[in-house]
Each structure stands twice: as structure tokens, then as C-alpha cells.
Amino acid sequence: QVQLVESGGGLVQAGGSLRLSCAASVRTFSRYAMGWFRQAPGKEREFVAAISWSGGSTYYADSVKGRFTISRDNAKNTVYLQMNSLKPDDTAVYYCAADQTLRMVWSGSNYDGHYWGQGTQVTVSS
């Protein structure tokens, strides 16, 4: 069983930055690929970023590439999402996900994994 708790969301002006954190309660954190998804009101959930088990490989949605950075600290059982140059279109609830494979990368909005956090709200004002 994997429990995930996100933090770090909030209200920020366009052009600003936020760093999201996701703490995992699991003994074998390094055996899980980690990812971030987001869901805006009235829209389906979309893939944002993912990182491999050791952190050696990262994957991004085109909409965030060059602005967001995903990283992980396996010693702290935590994954991060550094978000820079935020835009109003980035406004959404952001969810952390864990999976022993990287299928979240190619599944995108169809990803149906078992382990999700409760979400953290990010609001970007114009």
C-alpha cells in the first residue's frame, strides 16, 4: 500500500513560481516511478510530468516543458514539482501518482493507476 500526501499549492500571480511536494508512505519508494497530473474545472485529468525510479529519466507534457521540473529524493521518500513561469492555464488541482511502471507516461489522461494523493490546489492569477 502506498499513501501519498501533496503540499505546496497556493495562489500565485502569472509569471511566478511554486514548488509542490509529494511525500510517500512506503518502504520501497525507490521501486516506484512517480508522476504529477492535474485537473482543471470542467476538464479531464491530464499528465504533467513523471520521473523514473532512480530519477535518471524525466518526462513532461509539452504544455509544461521548459517551465516545470520534476525531481525526487529517495532518502526522503519525496517527489517534487518545481513550477516556474506559471500561467493562468496552469490553474488546477495537482495530483501525485505512484506506479511500479512508467505506464503513466504513455497512458496520459487514460492512466488508471491505484495510488494517488488527495490533490493540492494551484491557482494562477492574471
Side-chain angles (χ1 to χ4, degrees):
Q1 189 73 9
V2 181
Q3 293 185 326
L4 304 172
V5 178
E6 302 98 335
S7 62
L11 173 64
V12 64
Q13 288 189 330
S17 298
L18 281 175
R19 188 175 84 153
L20 305 183
S21 299
C22 172
S25 296
V26 63
R27 280 190 183 183
T28 55
F29 180 69
S30 61
R31 293 183 184 178
Y32 289 84
M34 300 296 296
W36 290 94
F37 288 74
R38 67 186 182 186
Q39 187 166 21
K43 296 186 178 180
E44 63 179 9
R45 185 176 58 201
E46 64 173 349
F47 169 79
V48 175
I51 188 166
S52 62
W53 308 265
S54 65
S57 297
T58 56
Y59 309 84
Y60 297 94
D62 287 344
S63 58
V64 306
K65 206 169 290 184
R67 300 188 298 122
F68 290 11
T69 302
I70 188 171
S71 61
R72 66 189 295 161
D73 185 337
N74 285 350
K76 295 183 177 180
N77 281 19
T78 301
V79 63
Y80 305 97
L81 185 68
Q82 178 66 44
M83 306 185 295
N84 298 329
S85 302
L86 282 161
K87 306 174 182 179
D89 283 350
D90 295 318
T91 295
V93 177
Y94 283 70
Y95 297 92
C96 177
D99 198 304
Q100 291 186 309
T101 75
L102 276 168
R103 64 191 181 96
M104 65 178 74
V105 176
W106 57 80
S107 296
S109 59
N110 294 319
Y111 177 66
D112 60 351
H114 293 300
Y115 304 120
W116 294 92
Q118 82 289 351
T120 186
Q121 176 71 47
V122 171
T123 303
V124 184
S125 64
S126 57

